[in-house]
Coordinates of all heavy atoms in Angstrom, one line a residue:
M1 N 0.9 -1.2 0.0 CA 0.0 0.0 0.0 C 0.9 1.2 0.0 O 1.8 1.3 0.8 CB -0.9 0.0 1.2 CG -2.0 1.0 1.2 SD -3.3 0.7 0.0 CE -4.4 -0.3 1.0
A2 N 0.6 2.2 -0.9 CA 1.3 3.4 -1.0 C 0.5 4.6 -0.5 O -0.8 4.5 -0.6 CB 1.8 3.6 -2.4
N3 N 1.1 5.6 -0.1 CA 0.4 6.8 0.3 C 1.0 8.0 -0.4 O 2.2 8.0 -0.6 CB 0.5 7.0 1.8 CG -0.2 8.3 2.3 OD1 0.5 9.3 2.4 ND2 -1.4 8.3 2.4
A4 N 0.1 8.9 -0.8 CA 0.6 10.2 -1.4 C -0.3 11.3 -0.9 O -1.5 11.0 -0.6 CB 0.6 10.1 -2.9
V5 N 0.2 12.5 -0.8 CA -0.6 13.6 -0.5 C -0.5 14.6 -1.6 O 0.6 15.0 -2.0 CB -0.1 14.3 0.8 CG1 -0.9 15.6 1.1 CG2 -0.1 13.3 2.0
L6 N -1.6 14.9 -2.2 CA -1.7 15.8 -3.4 C -2.2 17.1 -3.0 O -3.1 17.2 -2.2 CB -2.6 15.1 -4.4 CG -2.3 13.7 -4.9 CD1 -3.4 13.2 -5.7 CD2 -1.0 13.7 -5.7
N7 N -1.7 18.2 -3.6 CA -2.2 19.5 -3.4 C -3.3 19.7 -4.5 O -3.0 19.6 -5.7 CB -1.1 20.5 -3.5 CG -0.1 20.4 -2.4 OD1 -0.4 20.5 -1.3 ND2 1.1 20.2 -2.8
V8 N -4.5 20.1 -4.0 CA -5.6 20.2 -5.0 C -6.3 21.5 -4.8 O -6.7 21.9 -3.7 CB -6.6 19.0 -4.8 CG1 -7.8 19.2 -5.7 CG2 -6.0 17.7 -4.9
E9 N -6.4 22.3 -5.9 CA -7.1 23.6 -5.9 C -8.5 23.4 -6.3 O -8.8 22.6 -7.2 CB -6.3 24.5 -6.9 CG -4.9 24.9 -6.5 CD -4.8 25.8 -5.3 OE1 -5.9 26.4 -5.0 OE2 -3.7 26.0 -4.8
G10 N -9.4 24.3 -5.8 CA -10.7 24.4 -6.2 C -11.8 23.7 -5.4 O -13.0 23.9 -5.6
M11 N -11.4 23.0 -4.3 CA -12.4 22.3 -3.5 C -12.8 23.4 -2.4 O -11.9 24.0 -1.8 CB -11.7 21.1 -2.7 CG -11.2 20.1 -3.7 SD -10.6 18.6 -2.8 CE -9.2 19.3 -1.9
S12 N -14.1 23.6 -2.3 CA -14.5 24.6 -1.4 C -15.6 24.3 -0.4 O -15.9 25.0 0.5 CB -15.1 25.8 -2.2 OG -16.1 25.3 -3.0
C13 N -16.2 23.1 -0.5 CA -17.2 22.7 0.5 C -17.4 21.2 0.6 O -16.7 20.5 0.0 CB -18.6 23.3 0.0 SG -19.2 22.6 -1.5
G14 N -18.3 20.8 1.4 CA -18.5 19.4 1.7 C -18.9 18.6 0.4 O -18.5 17.5 0.3
H15 N -19.6 19.3 -0.5 CA -19.9 18.6 -1.8 C -18.7 18.3 -2.5 O -18.5 17.2 -3.1 CB -20.8 19.5 -2.6 CG -21.1 18.9 -3.9 ND1 -20.5 19.4 -5.1 CD2 -22.0 18.0 -4.3 CE1 -21.0 18.6 -6.1 NE2 -21.9 17.8 -5.7
C16 N -17.7 19.2 -2.5 CA -16.4 18.9 -3.2 C -15.7 17.7 -2.6 O -15.2 16.9 -3.3 CB -15.5 20.1 -3.1 SG -16.2 21.6 -3.9
V17 N -15.7 17.7 -1.3 CA -15.1 16.6 -0.5 C -15.7 15.3 -0.9 O -15.0 14.3 -1.3 CB -15.2 16.8 1.0 CG1 -14.8 15.6 1.8 CG2 -14.5 18.1 1.4
N18 N -17.1 15.3 -1.0 CA -17.7 14.0 -1.3 C -17.4 13.6 -2.8 O -17.2 12.4 -3.0 CB -19.3 14.2 -1.2 CG -19.7 14.2 0.3 OD1 -18.9 13.8 1.2 ND2 -20.8 14.8 0.6
S19 N -17.4 14.6 -3.7 CA -17.2 14.3 -5.1 C -15.8 13.6 -5.3 O -15.6 12.7 -6.0 CB -17.2 15.6 -5.9 OG -18.5 16.2 -5.9
V20 N -14.8 14.2 -4.6 CA -13.4 13.7 -4.7 C -13.3 12.3 -4.1 O -12.8 11.4 -4.7 CB -12.4 14.7 -4.1 CG1 -11.0 14.1 -4.0 CG2 -12.4 16.0 -5.0
E21 N -13.8 12.2 -2.9 CA -13.7 10.9 -2.2 C -14.4 9.8 -2.9 O -14.0 8.7 -3.0 CB -14.1 11.1 -0.7 CG -13.1 11.9 0.0 CD -13.4 12.1 1.5 OE1 -14.5 11.7 2.0 OE2 -12.6 12.6 2.2
K22 N -15.6 10.2 -3.5 CA -16.4 9.2 -4.2 C -15.7 8.7 -5.5 O -15.6 7.6 -5.8 CB -17.8 9.7 -4.5 CG -18.7 8.8 -5.3 CD -20.1 9.3 -5.2 CE -21.1 8.4 -6.0 NZ -21.0 8.6 -7.4
A23 N -15.1 9.7 -6.2 CA -14.4 9.4 -7.5 C -13.2 8.5 -7.2 O -12.9 7.6 -8.0 CB -14.0 10.7 -8.2
L24 N -12.5 8.8 -6.1 CA -11.4 8.0 -5.8 C -11.8 6.5 -5.4 O -11.2 5.6 -5.8 CB -10.6 8.6 -4.6 CG -9.9 9.9 -5.0 CD1 -9.3 10.6 -3.8 CD2 -8.8 9.7 -6.0
G25 N -12.9 6.5 -4.6 CA -13.4 5.2 -4.2 C -13.8 4.3 -5.4 O -13.6 3.1 -5.4
E26 N -14.3 5.0 -6.5 CA -14.7 4.2 -7.7 C -13.5 3.6 -8.4 O -13.7 2.6 -9.2 CB -15.4 5.1 -8.6 CG -16.9 5.4 -8.1 CD -17.6 6.5 -8.9 OE1 -17.0 7.1 -9.8 OE2 -18.8 6.7 -8.6
I27 N -12.3 4.1 -8.2 CA -11.1 3.4 -8.7 C -10.3 2.7 -7.7 O -9.1 2.3 -7.9 CB -10.2 4.4 -9.5 CG1 -9.7 5.6 -8.6 CG2 -10.9 5.0 -10.7 CD1 -8.6 6.4 -9.2
G28 N -11.0 2.4 -6.6 CA -10.4 1.6 -5.5 C -9.3 2.3 -4.7 O -8.5 1.6 -4.1
V29 N -9.5 3.6 -4.6 CA -8.5 4.4 -3.8 C -9.2 4.9 -2.6 O -10.3 5.5 -2.7 CB -7.9 5.5 -4.7 CG1 -7.0 6.4 -3.8 CG2 -7.1 4.9 -5.8
S30 N -8.5 4.8 -1.4 CA -9.0 5.4 -0.2 C -8.5 6.8 -0.1 O -7.3 7.0 0.0 CB -8.6 4.6 1.0 OG -8.9 5.3 2.2
G31 N -9.4 7.8 -0.3 CA -8.9 9.2 -0.2 C -9.5 10.0 0.9 O -10.6 9.7 1.3
K32 N -8.7 10.9 1.5 CA -9.2 11.7 2.6 C -8.8 13.2 2.2 O -7.7 13.5 2.0 CB -8.5 11.3 3.9 CG -9.2 11.9 5.1 CD -8.8 11.2 6.4 CE -9.7 11.7 7.6 NZ -10.1 13.1 7.5
V33 N -9.9 14.0 2.2 CA -9.7 15.4 1.8 C -9.5 16.3 3.0 O -10.2 16.2 4.0 CB -10.9 15.9 1.0 CG1 -10.8 17.4 0.7 CG2 -11.1 15.1 -0.3
D34 N -8.5 17.1 3.0 CA -8.3 18.2 4.0 C -8.6 19.5 3.3 O -7.8 20.0 2.5 CB -6.8 18.2 4.4 CG -6.4 19.4 5.3 OD1 -7.3 20.2 5.6 OD2 -5.3 19.5 5.6
L35 N -9.9 19.9 3.5 CA -10.4 21.0 2.8 C -9.6 22.3 3.1 O -9.2 23.0 2.2 CB -11.9 21.2 3.2 CG -12.8 22.1 2.3 CD1 -12.8 21.6 0.9 CD2 -14.2 22.0 2.9
A36 N -9.4 22.6 4.4 CA -8.7 23.8 4.7 C -7.2 23.8 4.2 O -6.7 24.8 3.8 CB -8.7 24.0 6.3
G37 N -6.6 22.6 4.2 CA -5.2 22.5 3.8 C -5.1 22.3 2.3 O -4.0 22.3 1.8
K38 N -6.2 22.2 1.6 CA -6.2 22.0 0.1 C -5.4 20.8 -0.3 O -4.6 20.8 -1.2 CB -5.7 23.2 -0.6 CG -6.6 24.5 -0.4 CD -6.0 25.6 -1.2 CE -6.8 26.9 -1.1 NZ -6.2 28.0 -1.8
K39 N -5.6 19.7 0.5 CA -4.8 18.5 0.3 C -5.7 17.3 0.2 O -6.8 17.3 0.9 CB -3.8 18.3 1.4 CG -2.6 19.3 1.4 CD -1.6 19.0 2.4 CE -0.7 20.2 2.7 NZ -0.1 20.8 1.5
V40 N -5.3 16.3 -0.6 CA -6.0 15.0 -0.6 C -4.9 13.9 -0.3 O -3.9 13.8 -1.0 CB -6.6 14.8 -2.0 CG1 -7.3 13.4 -2.0 CG2 -7.7 15.9 -2.3
S41 N -5.2 13.2 0.8 CA -4.3 12.1 1.1 C -4.9 10.8 0.5 O -6.1 10.5 0.7 CB -4.2 12.0 2.6 OG -3.5 10.8 3.0
V42 N -4.1 10.1 -0.2 CA -4.6 8.9 -0.9 C -3.8 7.6 -0.5 O -2.6 7.7 -0.4 CB -4.6 9.0 -2.4 CG1 -5.7 10.0 -2.8 CG2 -3.3 9.4 -3.0
D43 N -4.5 6.6 -0.2 CA -3.9 5.3 0.1 C -4.3 4.4 -1.1 O -5.5 4.3 -1.4 CB -4.4 4.6 1.4 CG -3.9 5.4 2.6 OD1 -2.7 5.7 2.6 OD2 -4.7 5.7 3.5
Y44 N -3.3 3.8 -1.8 CA -3.6 3.0 -2.9 C -2.6 1.9 -3.1 O -1.5 1.9 -2.6 CB -3.6 3.9 -4.2 CG -2.3 4.6 -4.5 CD1 -1.5 4.1 -5.6 CD2 -1.8 5.6 -3.8 CE1 -0.3 4.7 -5.9 CE2 -0.6 6.2 -4.1 CZ 0.1 5.8 -5.1 OH 1.3 6.4 -5.4
E45 N -3.1 0.9 -3.9 CA -2.3 -0.3 -4.2 C -1.5 0.0 -5.5 O -2.2 0.1 -6.6 CB -3.2 -1.5 -4.4 CG -2.6 -2.8 -4.1 CD -2.2 -3.0 -2.6 OE1 -3.1 -2.9 -1.7 OE2 -1.0 -3.1 -2.4
E46 N -0.2 0.1 -5.4 CA 0.6 0.5 -6.6 C 0.4 -0.5 -7.8 O 0.6 -0.1 -8.9 CB 2.0 0.6 -6.2 CG 2.3 1.8 -5.4 CD 3.7 1.8 -4.8 OE1 4.0 0.9 -4.0 OE2 4.6 2.6 -5.2
S47 N 0.1 -1.7 -7.5 CA 0.0 -2.7 -8.6 C -1.3 -2.6 -9.3 O -1.5 -3.1 -10.4 CB 0.2 -4.1 -8.0 OG -0.8 -4.4 -7.0
K48 N -2.3 -1.8 -8.7 CA -3.6 -1.7 -9.3 C -3.9 -0.4 -9.9 O -4.7 -0.3 -10.8 CB -4.6 -2.1 -8.2 CG -4.6 -3.6 -7.8 CD -5.7 -3.9 -6.8 CE -5.6 -5.4 -6.4 NZ -6.2 -5.6 -5.1
V49 N -3.4 0.7 -9.3 CA -3.7 2.0 -9.8 C -2.5 2.9 -9.7 O -1.7 2.8 -8.8 CB -4.9 2.6 -9.0 CG1 -4.6 2.7 -7.5 CG2 -5.3 3.9 -9.5
T50 N -2.3 3.7 -10.8 CA -1.2 4.6 -10.8 C -1.6 6.0 -10.2 O -2.7 6.4 -10.2 CB -0.7 4.9 -12.3 OG1 -1.8 5.5 -13.0 CG2 -0.3 3.6 -12.9
I51 N -0.5 6.7 -9.8 CA -0.8 8.1 -9.3 C -1.4 9.0 -10.4 O -2.1 9.9 -10.1 CB 0.5 8.7 -8.7 CG1 0.2 9.9 -7.9 CG2 1.6 8.9 -9.7 CD1 -0.5 9.6 -6.6
E52 N -1.0 8.7 -11.7 CA -1.5 9.5 -12.8 C -3.1 9.3 -12.9 O -3.8 10.2 -13.1 CB -0.9 9.0 -14.1 CG 0.5 9.6 -14.3 CD 1.6 8.8 -13.4 OE1 1.3 7.6 -13.0 OE2 2.6 9.4 -13.2
A53 N -3.5 8.0 -12.7 CA -4.9 7.7 -12.7 C -5.7 8.4 -11.6 O -6.8 8.9 -11.7 CB -5.2 6.2 -12.7
I54 N -5.0 8.5 -10.4 CA -5.6 9.2 -9.3 C -5.8 10.7 -9.6 O -6.8 11.2 -9.3 CB -4.7 8.9 -8.0 CG1 -4.8 7.4 -7.6 CG2 -5.2 9.8 -6.9 CD1 -3.8 7.0 -6.5
K55 N -4.7 11.2 -10.1 CA -4.8 12.7 -10.4 C -5.9 12.9 -11.5 O -6.6 13.9 -11.4 CB -3.4 13.1 -11.0 CG -2.3 13.2 -9.9 CD -1.0 13.6 -10.5 CE 0.1 13.7 -9.5 NZ 1.4 13.9 -10.1
A56 N -6.0 12.0 -12.5 CA -7.0 12.2 -13.5 C -8.4 12.1 -12.9 O -9.3 12.8 -13.3 CB -6.8 11.1 -14.6
A57 N -8.6 11.2 -12.0 CA -9.9 11.0 -11.3 C -10.3 12.3 -10.6 O -11.5 12.7 -10.7 CB -9.9 9.9 -10.4
I58 N -9.3 13.0 -10.0 CA -9.6 14.2 -9.3 C -9.9 15.3 -10.3 O -10.9 16.1 -10.1 CB -8.5 14.6 -8.3 CG1 -8.3 13.6 -7.2 CG2 -8.7 16.0 -7.8 CD1 -7.1 13.7 -6.3
E59 N -9.1 15.4 -11.3 CA -9.3 16.4 -12.3 C -10.6 16.3 -13.1 O -11.2 17.3 -13.5 CB -8.1 16.5 -13.2 CG -6.9 17.0 -12.5 CD -5.5 17.0 -13.3 OE1 -5.5 16.3 -14.3 OE2 -4.6 17.8 -12.8
D60 N -11.0 15.0 -13.3 CA -12.3 14.7 -13.9 C -13.5 15.4 -13.2 O -14.5 15.6 -13.7 CB -12.5 13.2 -14.1 CG -11.8 12.6 -15.2 OD1 -11.2 13.4 -16.0 OD2 -11.7 11.4 -15.4
Q61 N -13.3 15.5 -11.9 CA -14.3 16.1 -11.0 C -14.3 17.7 -11.1 O -15.1 18.3 -10.5 CB -14.2 15.7 -9.6 CG -14.3 14.2 -9.4 CD -15.7 13.7 -9.9 OE1 -16.7 14.3 -9.5 NE2 -15.7 12.7 -10.7
G62 N -13.3 18.2 -11.8 CA -13.2 19.6 -12.0 C -12.3 20.4 -11.1 O -12.3 21.6 -11.0
Y63 N -11.4 19.6 -10.4 CA -10.4 20.3 -9.6 C -9.0 20.1 -10.1 O -8.7 19.3 -11.0 CB -10.5 19.6 -8.2 CG -11.9 19.6 -7.7 CD1 -12.6 18.4 -7.5 CD2 -12.6 20.8 -7.4 CE1 -13.9 18.4 -7.1 CE2 -13.9 20.8 -7.0 CZ -14.6 19.6 -6.8 OH -15.9 19.6 -6.5
D64 N -8.1 21.0 -9.7 CA -6.8 21.0 -10.2 C -5.8 20.4 -9.3 O -5.7 20.9 -8.1 CB -6.3 22.5 -10.6 CG -7.1 23.0 -11.8 OD1 -7.4 22.3 -12.7 OD2 -7.4 24.2 -11.7
V65 N -5.1 19.4 -9.7 CA -4.0 18.9 -8.9 C -2.8 19.7 -9.3 O -2.4 19.7 -10.5 CB -3.8 17.4 -9.2 CG1 -2.6 16.8 -8.4 CG2 -5.0 16.6 -9.0
V66 N -2.2 20.3 -8.3 CA -1.0 21.2 -8.6 C 0.3 20.7 -8.1 O 0.3 19.7 -7.4 CB -1.2 22.6 -8.0 CG1 -2.4 23.3 -8.6 CG2 -1.4 22.6 -6.5
Ligands
CU1 CU1 -17.9 22.3 -3.1

C-alpha cells in the first residue's frame, strides 16, 4: 500500500469533498480530503492504480492537482 498527499485547488465545500472521495473510491483508492489544507491524502495499491490515474480522477471532477 502506497500513500501520497496531493495539493488540490478548487475544493470549497462538503460537496467537493464528497465528489473527490467518491471518485477515488470508484477506482479503488481510499482518499481523505483536507479542505482547509487543500490536500488530498490517498492510500492505494501501486500494482492496481497509478498516481496518474488518481490525479486524472480528481481532475475529472473539476479540480486542479497542482
Ligand atoms: Cu464544493
Side-chain angles (χ1 to χ4, degrees):
M1 192 69 93
N3 175 264
V5 178
L6 304 170
N7 293 302
V8 179
E9 294 285 348
M11 301 182 298
S12 58
C13 69
H15 176 259
C16 301
V17 172
N18 288 340
S19 298
V20 169
E21 291 183 350
K22 181 164 177 283
L24 292 172
E26 284 170 357
I27 59 168
V29 174
S30 168
K32 192 163 188 331
V33 174
D34 171 2
L35 198 54
K38 299 182 180 177
K39 292 181 194 310
V40 179
S41 173
V42 290
D43 289 314
Y44 62 104
E45 206 66 62
E46 288 170 292
S47 61
K48 292 182 181 158
V49 60
T50 62
I51 193 72
E52 285 75 22
I54 292 171
K55 290 177 182 174
I58 294 172
E59 289 177 342
D60 279 352
Q61 296 302 310
Y63 309 110
D64 290 323
V65 180
V66 294

